[in-house]
Amino acid sequence: MKVLKWLDDYLEEALLLVLLCAMTCIMGVQITARYVFSSSLSWSEEITRFMFIISGFFSASFCIKKSASVKIDQLVGMLPGKGVHYFRLISYTIQLIFFAYLIPFAWNYMIAQVESGQLSPACGIPMWIIQSSAVISFALCVFRLIQKWVQRVEMILGKEEV
């Protein structure tokens, strides 16, 4: 249970931190190789690009979890009583529908990559691995939105503090 609790609390943060550190190290090595040794690495820019793409997808679920999405708090904060909670429920529902709608398209695109057998040019990484980050991220967004939705309903019912 501790592992599940840790994953619930820190999955996105840990993944994004690892990706950021890896991108920084790889590009640091690339810069050093290019300017100090006059030789560049053929794979570094491709790997860094893939890490950047993956981190972009996973940052969506991180923002949902931390409620860091773009929103108009001034207007919502002026709603009377439990109006804020109902407005947030509507917002979560729209986002939930959006990400759930995207999952089959991301899945089909990933399956097409599996069937094509396409590999990345410099590293030979199967492209479906990179494409799977969209499927996983969208599913994680749906999961986080369901969590937010349940929390908001509990707030409306008075079972959880605001």
Side-chain angles (χ1 to χ4, degrees):
M1 288 307 260
K2 286 186 178 183
V3 172
L4 289 177
K5 172 87 170 107
W6 187 90
L7 286 172
D8 186 41
D9 291 341
Y10 302 110
L11 175 65
E12 292 92 344
E13 290 95 328
L15 182 62
L16 291 170
L17 180 65
V18 167
L19 288 168
L20 179 63
C21 290
M23 285 188 291
T24 303
C25 290
I26 291 169
M27 289 314 294
V29 169
Q30 168 68 348
I31 291 167
T32 303
R34 183 177 291 162
Y35 291 108
V36 174
F37 302 111
S38 297
S39 172
S40 66
L41 306 170
S42 62
W43 53 269
S44 64
E45 292 176 28
E46 182 177 272
I47 291 292
T48 304
R49 184 179 331 112
F50 291 156
M51 288 179 178
F52 185 73
I53 291 166
I54 292 167
S55 66
F57 279 117
F58 282 99
S59 66
S61 64
F62 174 76
C63 288
I64 290 168
K65 184 173 93 172
K66 296 293 184 181
S67 297
S69 58
V70 176
K71 53 189 174 270
I72 305 171
D73 281 335
Q74 290 292 91
L75 176 66
V76 175
M78 293 171 42
L79 294 173
K82 294 184 179 182
V84 170
H85 299 305
Y86 291 115
F87 187 82
R88 292 278 186 243
L89 272 180
I90 293 167
S91 172
Y92 296 152
T93 303
I94 292 168
Q95 291 176 61
L96 183 65
I97 291 167
F98 175 73
F99 284 110
Y101 176 78
L102 290 177
I103 291 172
F105 292 102
W107 177 263
N108 290 337
Y109 190 69
M110 183 192 72
I111 294 302
Q113 292 295 325
V114 170
E115 291 170 353
S116 76
Q118 182 181 2
L119 303 174
S120 66
C123 300
I125 298 171
M127 290 305 292
W128 70 266
I129 293 174
I130 308 305
Q131 299 303 329
S132 68
S133 65
V135 178
I136 296 166
S137 172
F138 295 157
L140 193 54
C141 286
V142 166
F143 177 74
R144 294 296 183 195
L145 285 161
I146 290 170
Q147 283 180 321
K148 289 286 194 185
W149 209 90
V150 169
Q151 288 172 349
R152 194 59 63 169
V153 168
E154 288 176 349
M155 286 178 194
I156 290 170
L157 297 176
K159 295 179 181 178
E160 184 179 307
E161 293 295 317
V162 177

